[in-house]
Amino acid sequence: MTNEISNADRAAFALAAITDFIAKTGVDTARDAISDLIVDLLHLARGRGLNAHTNLH
């Protein structure tokens, strides 16, 4: 038995993250929440010494 994660699973993880992000930040729209969360993750990566741009390729 394999525990492969499907794209639908990944989308569900992302939806859970965005829903929590909206609840914690009060961002008005899913569009804004997605872009804000991505930028926040890039700040986190930089703060931890990671090059997120390189890791995305």
Side-chain angles (χ1 to χ4, degrees):
M1 180 173 140
T2 62
N3 286 334
E4 285 192 36
I5 298 173
S6 70
N7 286 343
D9 294 330
R10 290 179 180 95
F13 300 153
L15 178 59
I18 289 298
T19 300
D20 191 50
F21 185 82
I22 289 170
K24 288 185 175 162
T25 63
V27 174
D28 291 336
T29 66
R31 174 182 281 191
D32 288 344
I34 290 168
S35 62
D36 287 357
L37 180 56
I38 289 170
V39 171
D40 290 351
L41 290 169
L42 292 171
H43 289 306
L44 174 64
R46 179 182 288 170
R48 301 252 172 138
L50 303 171
N51 186 335
H53 294 99
T54 300
N55 293 332
L56 290 174
H57 296 281

